[in-house]
């Protein structure tokens, strides 16, 4: 359509628009506050837009505030809008929003009066291309896997013969009856501890986690829990979601009791299955894994009893054969023969020992006699006295020789001095006097050194004499016995007569004694 021609009547001040324009001028003359203007903008936006809008976009600048509110920006390739999800909404999200995620946000658009900025107040948030629960499942799986909760090396083996089994499930579900029937049918001797919990709905995950912790805490007062079954019957992913919660996964991971996860049917997989020690396809399969078959246990006991009986018979037969073989030995048929052989062997050993001891004693006596003769020939005290005399004589001779040398030197010096006095000036006399002093000092040093060497030699000779003397032998526990009359050495018992006075010289002191019996066989009591 073409553009309409200008109509002056419709312009400002025209006839037809006189009344509306008058109202507008009256309104323009009114002054608005910032808040009033913001309220009018807010009312205009809320009145023009529907109460609920659904916006598709990409998340950015996602911030999880400490208050629990969620702030983020929703954008596309042409524009962006600020968004906020209050804590009541953010706490119910099954997944964790993050930057770059494509989502569908539903809520209302309004103006934040304080900053005058319009934003989307989100009441629901869902990921695009994948369900919220599926995304939450994947995110939590990745987180727990990185922390090691799925590691297979930490999973424990189930006890082979459990005495007490704990069951955590709903009291009204079919899973409980299936588990109890299977346990009663397979292994009736096992005691069942039932802990009823809600397995779906709000608060179910917390109740399951508390039940797991309670069973671990009260296991000892109950007499010990060998294995724990945690699960429920089948259902939708929403019904099974309590077993995908992080609080349940961490409770299973922290359990000191082996846990069997039995959630839903065989096709249902939950995070509890990944964390548990053993995953069962159904609650019935969990009960079959928890306990053995009574018939199989009975067959195994029968086999073990038969094996034990065979082993006992074999041991008895082997013992009989050994007893028969031992009975045929000569040692048992004639025990006295063994005693006679051992007695003869003992006599031979005793004779050999006596001969050897006697030979050693004879050798020691001969050796002591030889050493005594050497000591008598050496006469250490006399030799030491002679050496001291020699040292004194040599010292006297050395002193005389040195005196003569000094006298000769003095005479030569005096003669030299007289010669110098007669033929040389006083300077040469002083020089000769210095030479005389140096010569005298050297002579004195030579005398002192010679005397010191002589004394050191004498002391060394004395030390060697003392080491070779019989007193050193006495300090090692030996003694010398002499007849009191004549001081003759006693080298053999044949020298002694009853009543002889003998003196035994020890390392320290001497002991006088009298011979009572020179032919006594036993000398010591």
């Amino acid at each position: 359509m073409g553009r309409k021609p200008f109509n002056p009547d419709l312009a400002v001040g025209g006839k037809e628009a006189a009344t509306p324009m008058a109202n507008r001028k009256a309104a323009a003359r009114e002054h608005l506050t910032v808040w009033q203007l913001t309220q009018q903008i807010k009312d205009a936006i809320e009145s023009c837009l529907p109460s609920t809008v659904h916006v598709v976009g990409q998340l950015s600048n996602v911030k999880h505030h400490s208050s629990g509110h969620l702030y983020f920006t929703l954008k596309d390739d042409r524009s962006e809008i600020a968004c906020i999800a209050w804590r009541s909404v953010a706490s119910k999200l099954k997944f964790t929003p993050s930057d770059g995620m494509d989502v569908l946000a539903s809520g209302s658009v309004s103006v934040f009066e304080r900053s005058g900025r319009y934003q989307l107040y989100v009441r629901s948030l869902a990921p695009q291309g994948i369900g919220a629960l599926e995304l939450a499942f994947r995110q939590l799986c990745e987180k727990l896997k990185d922390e090691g909760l799925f590691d297979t090396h930490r999973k424990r083996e189930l006890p082979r013969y459990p005495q007490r089994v704990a069951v955590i499930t709903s009291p009204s579900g079919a899973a409980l009856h299936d588990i109890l029937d299977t346990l009663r049918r397979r292994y009736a001797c096992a005691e069942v501890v039932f802990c009823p919990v809600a397995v779906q709905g709000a608060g179910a995950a917390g109740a399951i986690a508390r039940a797991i912790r309670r069973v671990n805490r009260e296991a000892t007062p109950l007499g010990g829990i060998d294995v724990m079954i945690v699960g429920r019957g089948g259902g939708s992913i929403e019904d099974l979601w309590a077993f995908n919660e992080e609080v349940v996964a961490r409770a299973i991971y922290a359990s000191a009791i082996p846990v069997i996860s039995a959630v839903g049917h065989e096709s249902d997989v939950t995070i509890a299955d990944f964390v548990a020690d053993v995953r069962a396809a159904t609650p019935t399969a969990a009960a079959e894994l928890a306990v053995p078959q009574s018939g199989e246990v009975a067959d195994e006991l029968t086999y073990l009893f038969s094996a034990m009986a065979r082993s006992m018979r074999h041991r008895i037969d082997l013992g009989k054969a050994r007893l028969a073989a031992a009975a045929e030995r000569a040692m048992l048929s004639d025990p006295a023969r063994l005693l006679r052989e051992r007695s003869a062997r003992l006599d031979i050993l005793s004779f050999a020992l006596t001969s050897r001891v006697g030979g050693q004693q004879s050798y020691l006596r001969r050796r002591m006699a030889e050493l005594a003769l050497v000591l008598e020939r050496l006469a250490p005290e006399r030799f030491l006295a002679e050496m001291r005399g020699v040292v004194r004589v040599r010292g006297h001779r050395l002193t005389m020789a040195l005196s003569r040398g000094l006298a000769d030197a003095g005479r030569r010096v005096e003669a030299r001095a007289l010669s110098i006095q007669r033929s040389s000036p006083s300077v040469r006399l002083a020089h000769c006097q210095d030479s005389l002093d140096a010569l005298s000092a050297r002579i004195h040093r030579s005398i002192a050194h010679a005397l010191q060497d002589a004394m050191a030699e004498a002391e060394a000779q004395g030390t060697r004499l003392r080491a070779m003397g019989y007193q050193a032998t006495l300090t090692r526990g030996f003694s010398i016995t002499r007849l009191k009359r004549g001081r003759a050495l006693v080298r053999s018992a044949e020298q002694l007569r009853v009543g002889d006075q003998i003196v035994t010289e020890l390392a320290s002191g001497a002991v006088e004694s009298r011979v009572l019996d020179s032919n006594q066989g036993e000398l010591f009591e």
Side-chain angles (χ1 to χ4, degrees):
M1 294 178 64
R3 187 176 183 181
K4 291 181 180 181
F6 176 72
N7 187 354
D9 294 333
L10 298 179
V12 177
K15 296 178 180 179
E16 296 182 5
T19 301
M21 288 305 298
N23 293 335
R24 290 182 182 180
K25 290 180 179 180
R29 288 194 296 268
E30 294 181 3
H31 297 287
L32 299 176
T33 64
V34 176
W35 179 81
Q36 290 173 339
L37 178 60
T38 304
Q39 282 293 120
Q40 292 183 15
I41 296 173
K42 179 180 179 181
D43 294 340
I45 291 176
E46 292 179 351
S47 62
C48 293
L49 293 176
S51 59
T52 301
V53 294
H54 306 281
V55 184
V56 176
Q58 187 181 82
L59 295 179
S60 66
N61 299 323
V62 179
K63 297 179 181 178
H64 300 269
H65 198 269
S66 59
S67 62
H69 306 322
L70 179 65
Y71 299 91
F72 58 93
T73 300
L74 196 62
K75 66 178 183 178
D76 56 17
D77 56 351
R78 300 180 62 183
S79 185
E80 64 181 29
I81 183 173
C83 305
I84 179 173
W86 301 118
R87 180 175 59 184
S88 58
V89 176
S91 61
K92 296 178 182 179
L93 295 177
K94 298 299 183 181
F95 67 99
T96 303
S98 60
D99 292 345
M101 186 180 295
D102 293 328
V103 296
L104 171 64
S106 301
S108 60
V109 179
S110 185
V111 175
F112 184 54
E113 298 172 0
R114 181 177 296 277
S115 63
R117 182 179 62 177
Y118 75 92
Q119 55 189 11
L120 176 63
Y121 291 85
V122 178
R123 291 193 294 271
S124 68
L125 193 66
Q128 287 290 92
I130 184 173
L133 295 181
E134 179 65 21
L135 178 59
F137 178 83
R138 294 181 182 181
Q139 289 178 337
L140 186 57
C141 281
E142 184 176 356
K143 175 183 177 181
L144 298 181
K145 182 178 180 181
D146 293 340
E147 294 183 17
L149 271 68
F150 297 169
D151 291 346
T152 57
H153 69 270
R154 55 158 293 273
K155 297 182 183 295
R156 295 157 293 190
E157 294 185 0
L158 301 179
R160 190 172 183 182
Y161 304 107
Q163 299 181 359
R164 198 168 285 104
V165 180
V167 179
I168 299 177
T169 188
S170 172
S172 59
L176 175 62
H177 301 287
D178 294 342
I179 292 173
L180 294 179
D181 290 343
T182 303
L183 293 176
R184 192 179 302 110
R185 172 175 51 83
R186 288 176 59 87
Y187 201 65
C189 61
E191 181 181 350
V192 178
V193 178
F194 175 57
C195 187
V197 294
V199 294
Q200 71 181 59
I208 296 170
R210 288 192 297 273
I212 294 173
R213 291 192 291 268
R214 180 184 176 187
V215 170
N216 278 271
R217 186 171 59 252
E218 299 181 0
T220 301
L222 291 174
I225 302 295
D226 299 304
V227 66
M228 184 191 313
I229 300 175
V230 180
R232 56 155 294 160
S236 64
I237 186 172
E238 290 81 4
D239 296 336
L240 305 180
W241 190 254
F243 296 90
N244 286 323
E245 294 284 355
E246 183 176 357
V247 63
V248 175
R250 295 196 180 278
I252 294 175
Y253 179 77
S255 174
I257 302 171
V259 177
I260 301 176
S261 176
V263 182
H265 301 297
E266 185 174 359
S267 59
D268 297 322
V269 179
T270 63
I271 292 178
D273 297 332
F274 297 144
V275 183
D277 296 284
V278 176
R279 186 245 177 183
T282 62
T284 301
E288 292 177 350
L289 291 172
V291 296
Q293 179 68 265
S294 298
E296 296 176 358
V297 175
D299 294 341
E300 186 175 358
L301 290 175
T302 302
Y303 171 77
L304 292 176
F305 180 79
S306 300
M308 184 176 64
R310 288 194 301 271
S311 177
M312 292 300 296
R313 285 195 299 271
H314 176 70
R315 288 177 176 270
I316 292 173
D317 294 341
L318 183 61
K320 288 180 179 179
R322 290 180 176 177
L323 181 61
E328 295 178 356
R329 293 180 180 177
M331 180 180 67
L332 295 179
S333 60
D334 187 9
R337 176 183 176 183
L338 178 63
L339 293 176
R340 289 192 299 271
E341 292 177 354
R342 296 295 174 88
S343 178
R345 178 63 176 168
L346 182 61
D347 292 340
I348 294 172
L349 293 176
S350 176
F351 177 76
L353 179 61
T354 303
S355 300
R356 186 167 184 177
V357 170
Q360 290 290 336
Q361 289 179 345
S362 299
Y363 170 75
L364 291 176
R365 290 194 188 98
R366 291 194 303 271
R367 185 61 179 163
M368 288 180 63
E370 293 172 357
L371 291 175
L373 292 175
V374 171
L375 288 174
E376 287 182 355
R377 287 196 299 269
L378 289 175
E381 295 87 353
R382 186 170 64 252
F383 181 75
L384 184 59
E386 292 177 355
M387 289 300 297
R388 287 174 179 170
V390 171
V391 170
R392 285 196 296 271
V393 171
R394 290 183 178 180
H396 178 69
R397 291 177 180 175
L398 181 60
T399 302
M400 294 298 293
L402 291 174
S403 299
R404 288 194 299 270
L406 285 174
D408 293 340
R411 286 192 298 269
R412 287 196 298 270
V413 169
E414 289 177 358
R416 184 64 176 171
L418 292 175
S419 176
I420 290 171
Q421 289 177 0
R422 288 192 299 265
S423 61
S424 301
S426 58
V427 176
R428 293 190 62 184
L429 180 60
H431 179 72
C432 291
Q433 184 64 40
D434 293 339
S435 300
L436 178 61
D437 293 339
L439 178 60
S440 177
R442 190 164 57 228
I443 291 173
H444 282 292
R445 286 195 299 271
S446 299
I447 293 172
H449 183 69
L451 287 175
Q452 185 178 359
D453 291 344
M455 293 303 294
E457 178 65 22
E459 185 63 28
Q461 292 293 341
T463 301
R464 285 195 291 270
L465 287 173
R466 285 191 294 273
M468 296 175 61
Y470 71 92
Q471 287 85 358
T473 304
L474 296 181
T475 58
R476 296 197 296 271
F478 295 95
S479 63
I480 295 177
T481 302
R482 303 175 187 269
L483 290 173
K484 187 174 182 181
R485 184 184 300 275
R487 300 178 56 86
L489 285 173
V490 178
R491 295 187 176 86
S492 175
E494 286 77 6
Q495 293 180 242
L496 301 177
R497 300 293 183 270
V498 177
D500 284 349
Q501 296 283 344
I502 58 177
V503 176
T504 302
E505 184 179 354
L506 306 172
S508 177
V511 177
E512 181 179 351
S513 55
R514 177 176 294 176
V515 178
L516 300 178
D517 185 0
S518 62
N519 296 320
Q520 186 175 354
E522 295 292 334
L523 298 178
F524 298 97
E525 295 182 358

